[in-house]
Amino acid sequence: MSAVVAQTLHVFGLRSHVANNIFYFDEQIIIFPSGNHCVKYNVDQKWQKFIPGSDKSQGMLALSISPNRRYLAISETVQEKPAITIYELSSIPCRKRKVLNNFDFQVQKFISMAFSPDSKYLLAQTSPPESNLVYWLWEKQKVMAIVRIDTQNNPVYQVSFSPQDNTQVCVTGNGMFKLLRFTEGTLKQTNFQRGEPQNYLAHTWVADDKIVVGTDTGKLFLFESGDQRWETSIMVKEPTHDSKSLDVIQESESLIEFPPVSSPLPSYEQMVATSSHSQLSMPQVFAIAAYSKGFACSAGPGRVLLFEKMEEKDFYRESREIRIPVDPQSNDPSQSDKQDVLCLCFSPSEETLVASTSKNQLYSITMSLTEISKGEPAHFEYLMHPLHSAPITGLATCIRKPLIATCSLDRSIRIWNYETNTLELFKEYQEEAYSISLHPSGHFIVVGFADKLRLMNLLIDDIRSFKEYSIRGCRECSFSNGGHLFAAVNGNVIHVYTTTNLENISSLKGHTGKIRSIVWNADDSKLISGGTDGAVYEWNLATGKRETECVLKSCSYNCVTVSPDAKIIFAVGSDHTLKEIADSSILREISAFDVTYTTIVISHSGRMMFVGTSVGTIRAMKYPLPLQKEFNEYQAHAGPITKMLLTFDDQFLLTAAEDGCLFTWKVFDKDGRGIKREREVGFAEEVLVTKTDMEEKAQVMLELKTRVEELKMENEYQLRLKDINYSEKIKELTDKFIQEMESLKTKNQVLRTEKEKQDVYHREHIEDLLDKQSRELQDLECCNNQKLLLEYEKYQELQLKSQRMQEEYEKQLRDNDETKSQALEELTEFYEAKLQEKTTLLEEAQEDVRQQLREFEETKKQIEEDEDREIQDIKTKYEKKLRDEKESNLRLKGETGIMRKKFSSLQKEIEERTNDIETLKGEQVKLQGVIKSLEKDIQGLKREIQERDETIQDKEKRIYDLKKKNQELGKFKFVLDYKIKELKKQIEPRENEIRVMKEQIQEMEAELENFRKQNTQLELNITELWQKLRATDQEMRRERQKERDLEALVKRFKTDLHNCVAYIQEPRLLKEKIRGLFEKYVQRADMVEIAGLNTDLQQEYARQRDHLERNLATLKKKVVKEGELHRTDYVRIMQENVSLIKEINELRRELKFTRSQVYDLEAALKLTKKVRPQEVSETEPSRDMLSAAPTARLNEREETGRIIEMQRLEIQRLRDQIQEQEQITGFHTLAGVRLPSLSNSEVDLEVKTN
């Protein structure tokens, strides 16, 4: 055998479809089936002990416990054959007592069992088509009777013994209710079914001949000796509070008393199959359990009804309703109470009710809670934890925490703690989960759902997704050993992602079939995969290519693993072998011995190997693998094992299977070859918490602190009030006590006067008594003397009388002797004469003589005896009389002696009395003083006793009142605790709503803050635009003033020129006038103007530069603060600035153009001076040009007006945007500043332009 050993530590799971799957061993320990074991679970101390199933067992079918709770019967199928194993529960560990596996009759399986009341007999029901009922004397393995129950292949659900009679049994099934009695070695039916047959699902014995039975249509029947006595129908109706309740709509009276035994459980699949035609509104009664006050029965999905016996009448009424609670972690909370209750069981003290459901859940409720919740249905609580109700498809563990992650086809993810054996987290989803992997840190999981692959955070109280990948139906996923990568299977492709940026770094393609298993090597440099195509590939993640491959198309691989040194790959598949693969070739194949290996795992030390099989067993082997059949095989699950893992320290083995159970095993190597991995650092205790949760908890803490402060203030106020009240009461009590003391002083004075009177009276009374006593003594002495004399005389008379009687008796005795002698002589003479007479007749009748002689002898003897008797009687009579007289004489003598002694003693006593009287008189004087002091003490003590009695009575009354209050408060506290639990359950969804609303409020506040920022930005932009507009207005006014100055200058120039024209005939004067014009308009004014213009341009340029630099600095600051959110606004503002600059440049160009026109005019004038013949013709065009200049200037004014109009429209658009923002709820402008109306600004602008 192998030196590798595994011991079962704990299990999370229940097999609900085993008949009678839960019952109490004692008040703290329950027994239920899980996997291929029966588990003894201590509810208080939370430990588990296991009763393993038989070797090569294919699963348990039914359980039964004996009434004395010493024996447990388990029905199994072992190697395709039925067997019943009986365990002795009292021994530690539980040992097999008997195994019933050799049968003389045909049987496929045993579906229901029951022990007799004295635990000596076992009743077992076989499945169709045989449907035999077997009556065993199980300790001797002797079949006492066997009978076929049904010939129509109807299912039988339950068999049971009468609780008082070993010979009476009951069988119920589809269309059958039979009572049988064991007589003369056979089981005979004693009842006859009447009426329409029902589908009877469950029953229990009421009394010796009374049974209550439940059906699939919600009916309860009471049968007495096979005849129906009572019927109750349970209907489902829709109440006003949106939840279904059950009411009893019909009852008939009967006598019902239910013994406290649990009801065996029928096969759930058979019940559902046979009752599928029943009405949906009718609840099915799958289980019935009785207790002292009545009975409990399942009444439809998620509900149990309690019936109690009426005090006045002999029938039962519905008293309470118990429901399975709604699960807040479920994606559909209403589904939690839609599971059928399959088995009910009361604890021996009837304090707790335990129920198992069709979804593999265990619930319990304290019966005292059902009494409190009047008017409202009570709710079950989980007995252990919420368990998986479907096959487990994924299993994972981590390094830094003692956590186990599982996922199942029941659409749930559960996080277990294998150190404390508790459920850490649990959540249900809308899609089925096929695979799961836990990050080495224990903070993240990756789960393959039917629709997507999700990466999730494990928070302190929730599991939240933060990344999703479009991989449908991912059957395998795994984090790397370092946690920096994770791989997920998508059909025949493996995708590898990083956990840092969550991106796909490579996709490994090569498999032609579905990939069933992936595993990382120790340093995460390689990935090994195996699939249904018979290929095992080793991938290099650095290159994304295959390094080694081994393909065997005849084998579909189920699982692969790799040795710690990554040199050897181990694979198991459908060909019933375990393969060692190295360098793309199979080194060895070890046979699985007619089973299919489904999973394989090797320890991190490389010394231990474990494989899981398709029949639910675990095989522990040592490595290197042996050639022979050397392994330890353990019964584990009732279905194929789906996943198997070893913890990082090689201490625990974790297994999960299709039966929905999760086992933890303690593993070790007996040879000690495996190096025990000691943990340098303990398990991490850090958890993930979101900021919102922390803020909510901080807010709750603040509220609680304020509440505590309020309570402190209130308590202090109450204490001050109590102090004031108590001080007032103390004052009243002191006044009252002072008054009582005054009254007591007066009473004491009165009592003293009375005492003095009583002393005088007592002294007189004592003197009278002494006189009376002396007189009585004298009278007694005289009477006693007279009596003594009389007694003495009587004594003398009696003595004389006794002497006379003695003489008389002696004389009578002498007379009697003489008469006797004379009579004897006479008789002798008479008989002698007779003898002489008879001798003559002797020869004639010898026979007569003999007869007469015999008669004579007899008569003689009788006469002698009579005479002797008479003599003896007379003698005894007189002797008795003599004795009596002697005794009376002696008694009288003694009495006279006694009287003498009494007389002498009385004389002595009289003398002593006289002495005592004298001493007593002396002592009386002393004692009177003592009496006075003692009476004072007595009065004081009486007062103190009275006061203490009063205080005791007051305190007793107060204690009694306080006890009553304490009892009431205890009841009230119990009620309040229950109400607090209910309110907490009601508050949780509201808190969730409040949390959602708070998140929405925070989002709205963030949006509001963004709007405020935008508003401030827009206001800044508007102020800048206003500044720009003012600057442009000022510049435009200056330009207009300059234009007017230029026009005046041109007019003066025209007039001067016109004056010069008058000297056109005189060249010399004309030349002087022209030179004067030149000096006047060109040399002085124009040069100064050009110089002034250059200075103005420089100032304007500097101002514009400073203005733009300031705008640029502010914009840079805003860009740094607001970043990308306001990039568009920034760009828009920059574009507006550029457009304004362009407009300024255009105005400058226009100014230059006007100047160039002026210069052109001056140049034209110079030309006219040179060319004389064309004076008239050229003057006219000059006039035309002068008239054209104002028109050109008018066009420029129109251009500036058009620019101003465009800016006005832009300002109007900005105003409209601001008004739209102001109309948004909760949005307002910064500091409430509003812009001036556009119409006023337009009017001002027009005035300025005019």
Side-chain angles (χ1 to χ4, degrees):
M1 296 299 290
S2 173
V4 179
V5 180
Q7 292 179 353
T8 314
L9 284 185
H10 204 85
V11 63
F12 303 97
L14 168 72
R15 291 196 62 212
S16 62
H17 297 159
V18 176
N20 194 17
N21 55 25
I22 186 166
F23 38 79
Y24 272 90
F25 175 64
D26 56 26
E27 194 63 34
Q28 288 82 27
I29 298 175
I30 62 170
I31 299 177
F32 60 89
S34 182
N36 208 13
H37 292 72
C38 275
V39 183
K40 292 173 69 176
Y41 176 68
N42 190 301
V43 179
D44 295 334
Q45 300 177 6
K46 310 297 183 186
W47 54 256
Q48 289 184 353
K49 293 182 180 179
F50 295 88
I51 305 171
S54 302
D55 292 338
K56 298 182 180 180
S57 171
Q58 296 171 356
M60 300 178 183
L61 301 174
L63 303 178
S64 180
I65 192 170
S66 61
N68 60 8
R69 305 187 188 277
R70 288 187 59 191
Y71 306 110
L72 173 67
I74 302 176
S75 169
E76 299 174 288
T77 302
V78 181
Q79 292 182 341
E80 306 296 334
K81 294 181 181 179
I84 296 176
T85 308
I86 300 172
Y87 291 87
E88 188 171 351
L89 297 175
S90 57
S91 63
I92 301 175
C94 299
R95 63 182 181 88
K96 291 183 180 180
R97 183 69 179 267
K98 290 290 179 182
V99 179
L100 309 177
N101 54 9
N102 294 321
F103 310 112
D104 298 332
F105 49 88
Q106 289 186 354
V107 58
Q108 292 183 359
K109 57 184 178 180
F110 294 98
I111 57 175
S112 181
M113 299 180 296
F115 278 96
S116 62
D118 57 1
S119 305
K120 292 182 180 179
Y121 299 94
L122 181 67
L123 197 65
Q125 176 66 46
T126 67
S127 62
E130 296 86 10
S131 297
N132 290 323
L133 181 65
V134 188
Y135 190 91
W136 258 302
L137 180 63
W138 63 267
E139 287 193 352
K140 295 183 180 179
Q141 299 185 3
K142 181 180 179 181
V143 177
M144 305 297 291
I146 184 171
V147 64
R148 187 169 184 179
I149 291 298
D150 184 66
T151 59
Q152 299 177 356
N153 290 336
N154 287 326
V156 179
Y157 298 137
Q158 183 182 349
V159 297
S160 65
F161 273 99
S162 169
Q164 305 296 331
D165 189 357
N166 287 346
T167 62
Q168 192 170 4
V169 299
C170 176
V171 182
T172 54
N174 187 7
M176 73 177 74
F177 169 72
K178 294 185 179 182
L179 294 175
L180 301 99
R181 186 174 290 277
F182 177 72
T183 56
E184 299 176 357
T186 58
L187 286 167
K188 296 180 180 179
Q189 186 172 351
T190 60
N191 72 318
F192 298 96
Q193 291 186 358
R194 297 183 180 90
E196 184 180 355
Q198 302 279 341
N199 187 9
Y200 300 106
L201 301 180
H203 73 265
T204 187
W205 287 83
V206 178
D208 294 342
D209 56 350
K210 295 178 183 178
I211 303 172
V212 66
V213 185
T215 69
D216 63 344
T217 57
K219 292 184 178 181
L220 293 173
F221 297 97
L222 175 71
F223 292 97
E224 183 176 359
S225 300
D227 297 328
Q228 182 179 331
R229 300 296 186 207
W230 179 75
E231 179 181 352
T232 299
S233 295
I234 305 169
M235 294 292 290
V236 178
K237 68 177 183 178
E238 292 293 337
T240 57
H241 53 275
D242 298 333
S243 64
K244 293 183 179 180
S245 66
L246 303 174
D247 286 343
V248 175
I249 63 168
Q250 183 182 359
E251 287 189 0
S252 60
E253 296 183 1
S254 76
L255 296 170
I256 305 179
E257 295 176 357
F258 294 84
V261 294
S262 63
S263 169
L265 181 69
S267 173
Y268 178 69
E269 293 88 349
Q270 292 178 355
M271 292 182 192
V272 173
T274 57
S275 62
S276 60
H277 65 279
S278 63
Q279 298 179 1
L280 295 175
S281 61
M282 297 294 180
Q284 301 181 19
V285 182
F286 287 115
I288 305 174
Y291 67 114
S292 58
K293 293 182 180 180
F295 68 94
C297 68
S298 63
R303 288 172 176 82
V304 173
L305 288 183
L306 295 181
F307 288 85
E308 290 185 359
K309 189 175 182 180
M310 299 289 288
E311 294 181 359
E312 299 84 3
K313 301 178 182 180
D314 291 331
F315 64 90
Y316 282 74
R317 64 175 178 85
E318 180 191 347
S319 60
R320 299 285 184 276
E321 181 181 355
I322 308 173
R323 296 183 185 175
I324 294 175
V326 174
D327 193 348
Q329 299 295 331
S330 175
N331 60 336
D332 187 4
S334 63
Q335 291 295 325
S336 61
D337 60 352
K338 291 183 180 179
Q339 46 189 326
D340 290 309
V341 177
L342 301 185
C343 188
L344 294 171
C345 180
F346 284 95
S347 62
S349 64
E350 299 181 356
E351 291 181 357
T352 309
L353 174 63
V354 178
S356 65
T357 69
S358 58
K359 289 189 177 180
N360 299 348
Q361 305 298 327
L362 287 174
Y363 295 96
S364 68
I365 189 171
T366 304
M367 294 302 293
S368 57
L369 291 178
T370 63
E371 296 176 359
I372 291 173
S373 59
K374 291 186 177 180
E376 296 180 359
H379 289 86
F380 283 104
E381 294 180 351
Y382 282 108
L383 181 66
M384 296 184 292
H385 316 286
L387 305 172
H388 281 296
S389 59
I392 297 174
T393 56
L395 177 68
T397 184
C398 63
I399 299 173
R400 293 288 293 121
K401 292 184 178 182
L403 298 181
I404 308 169
T406 58
C407 64
S408 171
L409 296 181
D410 60 6
R411 302 178 180 179
S412 69
I413 296 173
R414 297 167 201 263
I415 308 298
W416 313 86
N417 190 318
Y418 63 80
E419 193 174 46
T420 60
N421 295 323
T422 56
L423 179 65
E424 296 280 339
L425 287 173
F426 155 57
K427 195 169 184 180
E428 287 189 2
Y429 297 88
Q430 295 182 354
E431 300 291 336
E432 293 179 346
Y434 298 125
S435 60
I436 192 169
S437 182
L438 193 57
H439 193 270
S441 66
H443 291 155
F444 316 103
I445 56 171
V446 60
V447 185
F449 288 96
D451 58 345
K452 289 184 179 180
L453 178 73
R454 291 181 173 89
L455 196 61
M456 300 181 172
N457 280 326
L458 294 182
L459 303 181
I460 188 171
D461 57 357
D462 194 10
I463 303 174
R464 294 184 188 173
S465 173
F466 65 91
K467 180 65 176 177
E468 294 182 350
Y469 300 96
S470 58
I471 298 176
R472 297 174 61 85
C474 176
R475 297 283 177 172
E476 286 292 328
C477 60
S478 176
F479 275 102
S480 63
N481 296 316
H484 60 292
L485 302 173
F486 68 91
V489 173
N490 186 5
N492 56 2
V493 180
I494 304 172
H495 298 285
V496 181
Y497 300 87
T498 63
T499 56
T500 53
N501 56 10
L502 309 178
E503 292 181 355
N504 185 2
I505 59 172
S506 63
S507 297
L508 309 178
K509 300 179 182 179
H511 283 278
T512 59
K514 291 184 178 180
I515 300 172
R516 299 288 298 274
S517 179
I518 55 174
V519 63
W520 297 83
N521 68 342
D523 59 358
D524 298 333
S525 61
K526 297 178 183 178
L527 186 69
I528 295 92
S529 63
T532 57
D533 55 355
V536 176
Y537 295 146
E538 184 177 1
W539 306 86
N540 189 324
L541 295 180
T543 61
K545 296 181 180 179
R546 294 197 296 262
E547 284 196 350
T548 62
E549 60 183 37
C550 178
V551 181
L552 184 65
K553 293 187 177 181
S554 62
C555 176
S556 175
Y557 287 109
N558 295 324
C559 185
V560 296
T561 188
V562 64
S563 61
D565 56 3
K567 292 181 179 179
I568 300 174
I569 300 171
F570 302 94
V572 293
S574 60
D575 59 350
H576 307 291
T577 59
L578 167 61
K579 298 180 178 61
E580 289 188 43
I581 302 170
D583 297 329
S584 301
S585 61
I586 299 173
L587 298 180
R588 278 201 304 171
E589 290 188 0
I590 294 101
S591 174
F593 303 101
D594 298 329
V595 297
T596 302
Y597 287 150
T598 57
T599 57
I600 184 169
V601 66
I602 190 169
S603 65
H604 297 85
S605 62
R607 298 292 186 180
M608 298 182 290
M609 183 177 289
F610 300 91
V611 290
T613 67
S614 59
V615 296
T617 60
I618 294 171
R619 292 181 178 179
M621 310 175 184
K622 60 184 178 181
Y623 187 79
L625 296 174
L627 296 175
Q628 293 82 14
K629 189 177 180 180
E630 292 184 8
F631 53 79
N632 291 328
E633 189 166 9
Y634 300 98
Q635 293 292 324
H637 294 273
I641 295 175
T642 56
K643 296 292 178 182
M644 182 186 298
L645 284 177
L646 274 168
T647 57
F648 182 71
D649 54 2
D650 288 343
Q651 298 298 309
F652 301 100
L653 176 69
L654 314 172
T655 60
E658 291 185 2
D659 59 2
C661 298
L662 171 64
F663 276 84
T664 60
W665 307 73
K666 176 73 175 178
V667 297
F668 54 91
D669 189 353
K670 283 185 177 179
D671 296 340
R673 294 177 303 157
I675 300 171
K676 188 176 179 181
R677 300 164 70 102
E678 296 290 342
R679 296 189 63 88
E680 297 179 358
V681 182
F683 287 122
E685 296 181 356
E686 297 84 6
V687 292
L688 296 180
V689 183
T690 61
K691 187 177 180 181
T692 56
D693 292 341
M694 290 294 291
E695 290 175 351
E696 287 177 4
K697 286 185 170 53
Q699 185 66 29
V700 171
M701 288 174 67
L702 286 173
E703 291 175 357
L704 291 173
K705 284 181 180 178
T706 55
R707 179 63 180 159
V708 167
E709 294 296 329
E710 290 174 359
L711 288 172
K712 281 183 180 178
M713 296 290 290
E714 187 176 353
N715 289 331
E716 289 175 359
Y717 176 69
Q718 293 293 334
L719 286 171
R720 284 198 296 273
L721 288 178
K722 286 181 180 179
D723 290 337
I724 293 167
N725 293 329
Y726 286 143
S727 61
E728 291 176 356
K729 286 181 181 179
I730 288 166
K731 188 176 180 181
E732 291 175 359
L733 289 171
T734 51
D735 296 337
K736 187 178 178 181
F737 286 143
I738 290 166
Q739 292 175 1
E740 287 180 356
M741 286 171 68
E742 294 295 331
S743 63
L744 288 171
K745 284 180 180 179
T746 55
K747 284 182 182 179
N748 192 11
Q749 191 66 31
V750 172
L751 288 170
R752 281 183 181 176
T753 56
E754 289 180 356
K755 179 180 174 294
E756 291 175 355
K757 291 179 182 178
Q758 290 289 334
D759 290 338
V760 173
Y761 172 73
H762 283 306
R763 281 197 295 273
E764 293 175 353
H765 185 62
I766 287 168
E767 290 176 355
D768 295 336
L769 287 173
L770 290 173
D771 295 335
K772 188 176 179 181
Q773 185 183 9
S774 62
R775 287 195 298 272
E776 287 177 354
L777 281 171
Q778 291 175 2
D779 295 337
L780 285 170
E781 285 176 358
C782 294
C783 292
N784 288 328
N785 291 329
Q786 291 175 0
K787 284 181 181 179
L788 285 171
L789 293 172
L790 291 171
E791 292 293 331
Y792 185 70
E793 290 175 354
K794 284 180 181 179
Y795 172 69
Q796 287 179 351
E797 290 176 357
L798 288 169
Q799 193 171 9
L800 294 171
K801 188 176 180 181
S802 64
Q803 287 176 1
R804 286 196 299 271
M805 288 177 69
Q806 189 172 4
E807 290 174 356
E808 289 176 358
Y809 291 148
E810 288 175 356
K811 186 178 180 180
Q812 286 178 2
L813 286 170
R814 284 196 299 272
D815 293 340
N816 287 328
D817 290 335
E818 290 175 357
T819 55
K820 183 180 178 184
S821 62
Q822 288 176 1
L824 284 171
E825 288 176 357
E826 290 175 357
L827 285 170
T828 53
E829 289 176 357
F830 173 73
Y831 284 117
E832 283 176 358
K834 267 192 175 186
L835 284 170
Q836 288 175 2
E837 290 176 359
K838 296 292 180 182
T839 52
T840 58
L841 299 172
L842 184 61
E843 293 176 358
E844 297 177 358
Q846 290 180 355
E847 291 179 1
D848 294 337
V849 170
R850 289 191 191 95
Q851 183 69 30
Q852 287 177 2
L853 283 171
R854 284 195 296 274
E855 290 177 357
F856 171 74
E857 287 176 357
E858 287 178 1
T859 53
K860 181 181 176 183
K861 192 182 291 181
Q862 287 177 0
I863 290 166
E864 287 177 353
E865 287 177 358
D866 292 338
E867 287 177 352
D868 291 337
R869 192 180 297 113
E870 288 176 0
I871 291 165
Q872 190 68 27
D873 290 339
I874 292 165
K875 188 177 179 181
T876 53
K877 181 180 178 181
Y878 286 110
E879 284 178 354
K880 186 177 180 182
K881 283 183 179 180
L882 182 62
R883 193 165 52 252
D884 292 338
E885 290 296 332
K886 285 181 179 179
E887 286 176 357
S888 61
N889 193 5
L890 290 170
R891 188 169 60 253
L892 291 170
K893 285 181 180 178
E895 286 178 356
T896 54
I898 289 165
M899 293 301 290
R900 285 176 184 172
K901 289 179 181 177
K902 281 185 178 180
F903 180 72
S904 60
S905 63
L906 284 170
Q907 285 181 346
K908 290 179 181 178
E909 284 180 1
I910 288 165
E911 293 175 357
E912 289 175 357
R913 290 284 175 85
T914 54
N915 295 326
D916 290 338
I917 287 165
E918 291 177 356
T919 55
L920 287 170
K921 284 180 180 179
E923 289 178 358
Q924 186 180 4
V925 178
K926 295 178 182 178
L927 289 172
Q928 283 177 353
V930 176
I931 286 165
K932 291 178 181 178
S933 62
L934 291 174
E935 283 177 350
K936 292 179 182 178
D937 296 337
I938 287 164
Q939 293 296 328
L941 291 170
K942 282 181 179 178
R943 286 196 298 274
E944 190 175 353
I945 288 165
Q946 189 175 0
E947 291 173 357
R948 290 190 178 182
D949 289 337
E950 290 175 355
T951 54
I952 287 166
Q953 289 176 358
D954 294 336
K955 287 184 178 179
E956 285 178 349
K957 287 180 182 177
R958 191 174 177 188
I959 288 165
Y960 182 72
D961 295 335
L962 288 171
K963 283 182 179 178
K964 277 188 175 179
K965 286 182 182 178
N966 194 9
Q967 291 175 357
E968 292 174 358
L969 288 172
K971 294 177 181 177
F972 192 57
K973 178 179 177 294
F974 198 74
V975 173
L976 286 177
D977 289 338
Y978 180 75
K979 287 184 178 178
I980 286 165
K981 289 181 182 178
E982 293 295 325
L983 288 172
K984 283 182 180 178
K985 292 178 182 177
Q986 294 176 4
I987 285 167
E988 285 178 359
R990 293 183 181 178
E991 287 181 347
N992 294 329
E993 292 178 0
I994 290 166
R995 186 165 61 252
V996 172
M997 296 296 288
K998 284 183 178 178
E999 291 176 356
Q1000 292 178 356
I1001 289 166
Q1002 289 177 357
E1003 291 176 357
M1004 292 175 71
E1005 286 179 351
E1007 291 178 1
L1008 183 62
E1009 187 64 29
N1010 293 329
F1011 286 139
R1012 285 178 181 170
K1013 289 179 180 178
Q1014 291 176 2
N1015 192 9
T1016 54
Q1017 182 63 35
L1018 289 170
E1019 287 178 353
L1020 290 171
N1021 294 335
I1022 289 164
T1023 53
E1024 289 177 1
L1025 289 171
W1026 275 109
Q1027 290 175 359
K1028 292 175 184 177
L1029 186 60
R1030 290 192 190 97
T1032 53
D1033 288 338
Q1034 290 175 3
E1035 189 175 356
M1036 188 172 64
R1037 284 195 293 271
R1038 286 196 296 271
E1039 291 295 328
R1040 285 176 179 173
Q1041 185 64 36
K1042 288 178 182 179
E1043 186 180 356
R1044 286 193 290 270
D1045 294 338
L1046 286 172
E1047 287 177 351
L1049 184 64
V1050 169
K1051 286 179 181 179
R1052 288 196 302 272
F1053 181 75
K1054 283 181 179 180
T1055 55
D1056 292 336
L1057 186 62
H1058 183 68
N1059 292 328
C1060 289
V1061 171
Y1063 298 101
I1064 196 167
Q1065 298 297 328
E1066 296 177 1
R1068 188 177 57 79
L1069 292 173
L1070 181 63
K1071 185 176 180 181
E1072 290 176 358
K1073 293 289 183 180
I1074 292 299
R1075 187 179 290 110
L1077 286 172
F1078 179 78
E1079 290 174 357
K1080 182 179 179 180
Y1081 291 103
V1082 176
Q1083 290 183 352
R1084 291 193 302 274
D1086 197 40
M1087 295 303 291
V1088 172
E1089 184 180 358
I1090 291 168
L1093 186 63
N1094 290 331
T1095 55
D1096 291 338
L1097 284 171
Q1098 288 177 359
Q1099 290 177 358
E1100 180 66 20
Y1101 178 76
R1103 187 181 66 80
Q1104 290 290 337
R1105 183 176 180 180
D1106 293 335
H1107 177 67
L1108 290 172
E1109 285 176 355
R1110 285 197 298 275
N1111 288 337
L1112 187 62
T1114 55
L1115 288 170
K1116 283 182 179 180
K1117 290 179 182 178
K1118 290 175 184 176
V1119 166
V1120 172
K1121 290 180 181 178
E1122 297 177 2
E1124 293 296 326
L1125 292 174
H1126 301 289
R1127 185 182 295 276
T1128 56
D1129 294 333
Y1130 175 73
V1131 171
R1132 182 170 58 80
I1133 291 166
M1134 289 298 294
Q1135 288 175 354
E1136 290 175 355
N1137 288 332
V1138 170
S1139 63
L1140 289 172
I1141 293 168
K1142 286 180 180 179
E1143 290 174 4
I1144 293 166
N1145 292 328
E1146 287 176 359
L1147 291 172
R1148 287 175 181 168
R1149 290 194 203 97
E1150 289 175 0
L1151 183 61
K1152 289 181 180 179
F1153 179 70
T1154 54
R1155 288 175 182 164
S1156 63
Q1157 285 180 346
V1158 171
Y1159 290 137
D1160 290 338
L1161 289 172
E1162 291 176 355
L1165 289 173
K1166 289 178 183 180
L1167 288 173
T1168 55
K1169 186 178 178 181
K1170 291 180 181 179
V1171 182
R1172 288 176 181 268
Q1174 299 176 352
E1175 286 180 356
V1176 178
S1177 61
E1178 288 180 356
T1179 55
E1180 292 177 356
S1182 66
R1183 289 176 182 174
D1184 296 333
M1185 290 178 68
L1186 289 170
S1187 63
T1191 58
R1193 192 65 200 169
L1194 183 63
N1195 292 331
E1196 292 174 3
R1197 287 182 181 177
E1198 290 176 356
E1199 185 69 23
T1200 55
R1202 190 166 58 252
I1203 291 167
I1204 291 165
E1205 183 66 22
M1206 289 172 64
Q1207 290 181 353
R1208 185 183 66 77
L1209 292 173
E1210 182 66 18
I1211 292 165
Q1212 184 65 36
R1213 185 179 64 81
L1214 292 172
R1215 284 177 182 276
D1216 294 336
Q1217 287 184 0
I1218 291 166
Q1219 288 177 358
E1220 288 176 0
Q1221 294 294 330
E1222 285 177 350
Q1223 289 175 0
I1224 297 172
T1225 305
F1227 186 87
H1228 54 85
T1229 58
L1230 187 66
V1233 178
R1234 287 188 173 273
L1235 295 173
S1237 62
L1238 187 62
S1239 60
N1240 296 329
S1241 63
E1242 289 175 356
V1243 172
D1244 295 337
L1245 186 61
E1246 288 176 358
V1247 170
K1248 290 176 181 178
T1249 54
N1250 292 328

